[in-house]
Amino acid sequence: MSTQAKSRMGQEPDPASAGKRAKKKFGLVLQGGAALGAYEVGAIEYLYDNGMQCAIVSGASSGAVNAATLAGAKGYPPAVLRELWRNFTVDPPIPFVPPLIRRSWSIFGVPHMYTPRLDYWNIPNWTYLSSTAPLKKTLEDLLDWDQVRDPEHMRLIVSASGVENGRTAYFSNLDSNLTFGAEHVVASASFPIGFPWTKVEHRDYWDGGLTDNTPLKPVIENLQEDEPETMPIFTIDVFSSSAPQPANLTQVGLRMFEMLLQNKLKADCETAHSYNRFVGILKEVDKQLPADSPVRQLKDWDAVMNYSLVREIRTIDMKKPTEERASDFSRETILRRISAGYDQTRASLEETPLMA
């Protein structure tokens, strides 16, 4: 555990040291993963503590909650993210309970995130188990929503999945036709069965992680000016690509879900690198084509020439323990994950420094 991270367990960090030097801008892509989102808090804290500042962020599910909090933080963003996740921690009201029970206490709800349904007489008609009204209120109370809606402060995109059409929707403060609000974040975090779908402008949405758990593409598409060449894009990977054989049905289900998300992340990263190679070749072709070449007259040529080569996309692997459960919101686990996220990000950037 890092000395810096440990010193911040019970107090707000002092960003003064980070503010003494010019802040390097970065882009950020945050995965969904329920309580695994605490790893992302530590990663963000390390980047900010080292003089960096987020210019554009996207997220799905718990990553969308972190993204909106980063954009709307009233004060030093890592401190506000820690406050959010302190609200999300739960522990049994009685001491000395076994660790397994303590780490499973979220089945009784996470007061600032969700509360279980109690209308058991209506179970045959249930389409979800818990209400997300507490999450919406937490976000509305904690964040500066004028700041969230200001793309000049930070560009923000969250993914959601259409219940009826199965398509990915991206809600963004860059959309002039949209008043970005807490309902868009909650829609991105509306994991089916556990939570109800969220209605946004007469359409119902489930968790963004179902169709795009690592929304990298909208970040690349919304880079500005020289950002593709000069600004690193970080994706925080909270899932494990390899793990021991599952020992029971619960572990089978968790491992299956993790593999689906891992493969989607790999596919997205491979697509981004292919995109870069494609753009690089196009730029070389442009240099060698005669000025009067007929291809330059095609209607899409100018649009293609505006594609940018993204110089650096970095995936930071949280290397979490294989037995980790996304439903574990216990205080000790959340704090450990924040510290681990801090240390894993530091190790990654020390091992391979940024190119720019």
Side-chain angles (χ1 to χ4, degrees):
M1 182 183 295
S2 69
T3 303
Q4 281 185 295
K6 185 186 296 184
S7 69
R8 295 192 173 91
M9 284 303 178
Q11 59 187 22
E12 291 188 359
D14 177 8
S17 60
K20 292 179 181 177
R21 47 195 170 180
K23 295 184 183 301
K24 180 174 179 59
K25 302 291 187 180
F26 66 90
L28 190 60
V29 182
L30 300 173
Q31 293 180 329
L36 301 180
Y39 283 107
E40 297 169 344
V41 175
I44 293 167
E45 185 171 307
Y46 177 82
L47 296 173
Y48 269 76
D49 280 1
N50 283 271
M52 303 182 74
Q53 186 173 36
C54 187
I56 179 170
V57 59
S58 70
S61 197
S62 60
V65 174
N66 284 338
T69 303
L70 183 61
K74 302 173 185 177
Y76 189 52
V80 180
L81 280 163
R82 277 186 174 269
E83 180 183 352
L84 174 76
W85 283 84
R86 279 196 296 269
N87 287 335
F88 288 165
T89 59
V90 291
D91 281 306
I94 51 176
F96 310 118
V97 299
L100 180 60
I101 295 177
R102 190 165 62 249
R103 293 168 186 167
S104 303
W105 203 252
S106 61
I107 63 173
F108 300 108
V110 178
H112 293 277
M113 182 184 285
Y114 62 88
T115 51
R117 294 181 67 162
L118 300 176
D119 56 329
Y120 300 117
W121 59 88
N122 199 34
I123 282 180
N125 298 315
W126 282 14
T127 57
Y128 62 91
L129 299 175
S130 301
S131 168
T132 51
L135 173 60
K136 187 171 186 290
K137 186 177 188 309
T138 296
L139 293 172
E140 288 174 340
D141 292 346
L142 182 65
L143 305 184
D144 180 337
W145 284 93
D146 288 334
Q147 184 173 291
V148 170
R149 297 180 183 114
D150 182 8
E152 295 298 318
H153 170 72
M154 190 183 301
R155 283 155 277 163
L156 170 65
I157 307 117
V158 301
S159 64
S161 306
V163 175
E164 296 166 297
N165 60 21
R167 297 175 183 169
T168 305
Y170 297 106
F171 301 123
S172 173
N173 63 2
L174 290 160
D175 185 351
S176 59
N177 297 317
L178 176 74
T179 302
F180 196 98
E183 67 274 16
H184 299 99
V185 183
V186 175
S188 182
S190 297
F191 195 78
I193 300 178
F195 302 145
W197 53 69
T198 299
K199 188 175 291 294
V200 177
E201 296 180 355
H202 312 296
R203 292 187 177 274
D204 298 322
Y205 294 95
W206 267 331
D207 196 289
L210 297 176
T211 54
D212 192 356
N213 198 53
T214 312
L216 173 61
K217 182 172 178 284
V219 168
I220 293 175
E221 290 177 342
N222 287 288
L223 297 178
Q224 300 173 354
E225 299 175 348
D226 65 344
E227 287 178 345
E229 281 287 333
T230 62
M231 193 172 77
I233 309 298
F234 296 107
T235 65
I236 312 300
D237 185 10
V238 299
F239 293 97
S240 300
S241 56
S242 59
Q245 273 192 337
N248 53 52
L249 286 177
T250 299
Q251 291 181 10
V252 168
L254 291 172
R255 182 59 185 148
M256 177 189 70
F257 184 64
E258 191 168 59
M259 288 171 65
L260 289 172
L261 296 178
Q262 247 320 297
N263 288 333
K264 184 70 168 61
L265 170 62
K266 291 177 181 176
D268 287 346
C269 290
E270 288 171 2
T271 298
H273 290 306
S274 297
Y275 172 93
N276 269 350
R277 290 194 297 270
F278 170 71
V279 172
I281 291 173
L282 280 179
K283 300 295 186 185
E284 290 302 315
V285 169
D286 181 50
K287 293 176 184 176
Q288 298 177 35
L289 274 177
D292 60 352
S293 174
V295 73
R296 295 185 182 277
Q297 308 307 314
L298 296 177
K299 64 176 183 178
D300 291 329
W301 180 258
D302 288 341
V304 169
M305 284 299 101
N306 285 329
Y307 291 168
S308 298
L309 186 68
V310 182
R311 186 179 184 194
E312 186 164 20
I313 300 174
R314 294 282 297 272
T315 298
I316 299 178
D317 182 3
M318 290 295 103
K319 296 182 172 63
K320 66 180 181 64
T322 55
E323 70 275 8
E324 286 275 72
R325 298 178 62 180
S327 60
D328 182 357
F329 284 88
S330 64
R331 174 180 166 79
E332 63 186 65
T333 300
I334 293 299
L335 292 179
R336 176 180 58 75
R337 286 171 177 162
I338 293 175
S339 278
Y342 193 104
D343 290 340
Q344 294 289 2
T345 305
R346 178 186 61 185
S348 176
L349 295 184
E350 287 179 351
E351 181 180 352
T352 309
L354 295 174
M355 294 168 60

